[in-house]
Amino acid sequence: MSSSALPSPLRLRDLMHPIVAGLISVIVNYGGTFILVFQAAKVAGLSPELTASWVWSVSIGVGITGLFLSWVSREPIITAWSTPAAAFLVVALSTTPYAEAVGAYIISAAAFVLLGLSGCFEKLIRLIPSGVAAGLLAGILLQFGIGAFGGMSLDPVLVGLLIAAYVVLKRFTARYAVVGILVLGLAFLLTQGRVELSGLALQFAAPVFTQPEFSINALLSVALPLFLITLTGQYMPGMLVLRNDGFSTSANPILTVTGLGSLLMAPFGSHAFNIAAITAAICTGKEASEDPSKRWIAGVAAGLFYILVGIFGLTLAAVFMALPATFITTLAGLALLGTIGASLASAMADVKTREASLITFLASAANITLLGIGGAFWGLLIGLAAYALLNGRLPRRETMVIPAADVVVTTKGATH
């Protein structure tokens, strides 16, 4: 792994913004799509103990791998559970015995370890033209930018307050805009009594080991789709998010470490975790820190917050999920405005590739879902085809790339 910026001395005042960025990414993840894990557990008929073990294993695994990768690389490597995979399991676990599903998780995780060790995925990522990558990221994040304002019709007071506060803070103290709306929004919700915490009690989660079973049916119906969905819906866009913000860490160690972590946590219920995309964009851009060499702190902070949630299992997950959906979508959208704007500017910068980048942007924003594969993959595929046709051929190799996706708020086809 290599850092994209020379490190500068770390001061106490450098910590607040990346730590808040890490916290927001965690809130958005738990408040957005973690409900899919509970839905899948219910479909599978899991006991409260097994469900708590799933929460523990995926949270601890995500936290440790993200913290480790960010610390070692000195880059904001944000990890998350696979959202499209969780959505897939809501259906798959209805017909697959849980022990066989755990065996499928292990096979899928082992495949990611082998892919990371082979180095093939990194070579593929570096072939993607920067304009196409930027258009992909802008298209995927567009729904979150729109969501920041779409909640106005449902909750005009809360959403209007957050938007107004964001604009005012941007005008007078841009560095504290996202921090400000987070604190202000939480204070407003508590004042209005809209977050019910009285019935919650901190309880430690306990991992429960499940003896894996292996079958051809689970291999074909769970392991293979789980691998493909996570690769195209999480790893591909997640790596492009890092490239978009100038970070050069190789995909190989990320695949290997997250795959190994998934392998170890699978017997305790974790379905898959991987590099994040949309929640990663909250931590990789200027909102996390003006100095790129300080943004790795956001990755470490996010990892620590995930571990904290994992220790207390369902309790803290329930706190995040108790936050109103409009608060989550508005907070995520406003935190991503800078990334959306920068991605659009990069996508349209080169006149020669502008049309292909625009096609990628629109195809990604359409969030096409075919053959069980989400919009990030199809947007990228359409964009690359347009680039090849309009420009004659794909470039041999690009050192800088741009965008992509990770889904977090409850939107159709979302990724992490």
Side-chain angles (χ1 to χ4, degrees):
M1 299 189 202
S2 60
S3 181
S4 60
L6 292 175
S8 55
L10 190 62
R11 295 163 293 188
L12 189 61
R13 66 182 183 182
D14 296 324
L15 299 178
M16 183 177 70
H17 293 288
I19 288 176
V20 169
L23 175 61
I24 290 176
S25 72
V26 172
I27 289 175
V28 170
N29 264 345
Y30 281 106
T33 58
F34 201 68
I35 186 64
L36 292 171
V37 170
F38 292 104
Q39 289 176 329
K42 184 177 181 179
V43 167
L46 301 187
S47 65
E49 292 76 19
L50 286 176
T51 302
S53 180
W54 190 345
V55 176
W56 177 88
S57 61
V58 76
S59 300
I60 295 293
V62 164
I64 291 176
T65 53
L67 191 159
F68 173 77
L69 288 166
S70 297
W71 180 272
V72 171
S73 68
R74 287 301 195 266
E75 295 187 358
I77 313 297
I78 310 300
T79 52
W81 52 85
S82 176
T83 298
F88 160 71
L89 290 174
V90 171
V91 177
L93 291 183
S94 64
T95 58
T96 305
Y98 183 62
E100 290 187 16
V102 169
Y105 300 165
I106 291 174
I107 293 172
S108 176
F112 280 116
V113 174
L114 294 175
L115 183 62
L117 293 174
S118 73
C120 297
F121 187 63
E122 173 67 17
K123 295 175 182 177
L124 177 62
I125 286 290
R126 292 189 178 276
L127 289 175
I128 299 173
S130 59
V132 169
L136 177 65
L137 180 57
I140 291 171
L141 297 184
L142 180 64
Q143 59 183 313
F144 295 93
I146 293 173
F149 301 90
M152 185 74 77
S153 58
L154 300 173
D155 198 340
V157 177
L158 173 61
V159 176
L161 175 66
L162 292 175
I163 294 172
Y166 178 82
V167 173
V168 170
L169 289 170
K170 269 291 185 180
R171 170 65 178 82
F172 294 103
T173 175
R175 276 177 60 86
Y176 298 94
V178 175
V179 177
I181 61 172
L182 171 62
V183 174
L184 180 63
L186 289 174
F188 177 79
L189 291 173
L190 290 172
T191 302
Q192 295 292 310
R194 296 177 58 182
V195 181
E196 180 55 53
L197 303 177
S198 59
L200 293 174
L202 289 179
Q203 296 179 339
F204 291 103
V208 178
F209 181 85
T210 297
Q211 182 67 40
E213 296 179 8
F214 301 94
S215 69
I216 297 297
N217 174 61
L219 171 64
L220 298 178
S221 62
V222 178
L224 182 58
L226 186 66
F227 175 80
L228 294 176
I229 289 170
T230 302
L231 182 66
T232 59
Q234 294 282 176
Y235 280 107
M236 180 73 76
M239 286 307 305
L240 294 177
V241 166
L242 278 177
R243 298 291 188 265
N244 179 50
D245 284 309
F247 297 103
S248 58
T249 294
S250 169
N252 300 334
I254 295 175
L255 274 164
T256 304
V257 170
T258 54
L260 183 60
S262 296
L263 186 65
L264 295 175
M265 287 297 186
F268 302 102
S270 175
H271 62 289
F273 44 88
N274 39 254
I275 188 169
I278 289 174
T279 48
I282 296 173
C283 299
T284 59
K286 291 183 179 180
E287 295 293 349
S289 175
E290 289 291 334
D291 184 354
S293 69
K294 302 289 195 310
R295 295 175 196 167
W296 65 272
I297 300 169
V300 172
L304 291 173
F305 288 127
Y306 278 124
I307 292 171
L308 179 63
V309 173
I311 291 173
F312 294 105
L314 298 176
T315 305
L316 292 186
V319 172
F320 290 121
M321 294 178 65
L323 296 172
T326 49
F327 176 68
I328 299 294
T329 54
T330 304
L331 181 65
L334 293 176
L336 289 167
L337 282 184
T339 301
I340 295 171
S343 299
L344 280 173
S346 298
M348 301 296 110
D350 189 346
V351 177
K352 294 180 180 179
T353 62
R354 182 174 297 167
E355 192 157 3
S357 300
L358 179 60
I359 289 172
T360 308
F361 166 68
L362 295 174
S364 303
N367 200 20
I368 302 164
T369 301
L370 290 173
L371 305 176
I373 300 174
F377 173 78
W378 296 113
L380 178 61
L381 189 64
I382 292 170
L384 290 175
Y387 183 95
L389 290 171
L390 293 170
N391 296 279
R393 61 179 177 81
L394 290 174
R396 290 183 177 277
R397 187 180 182 88
E398 289 220 1
T399 56
M400 279 290 296
V401 228
I402 311 183
D406 152 56
V407 179
V408 280
V409 187
T410 45
T411 3
K412 183 181 179 181
T415 17
H416 240 97

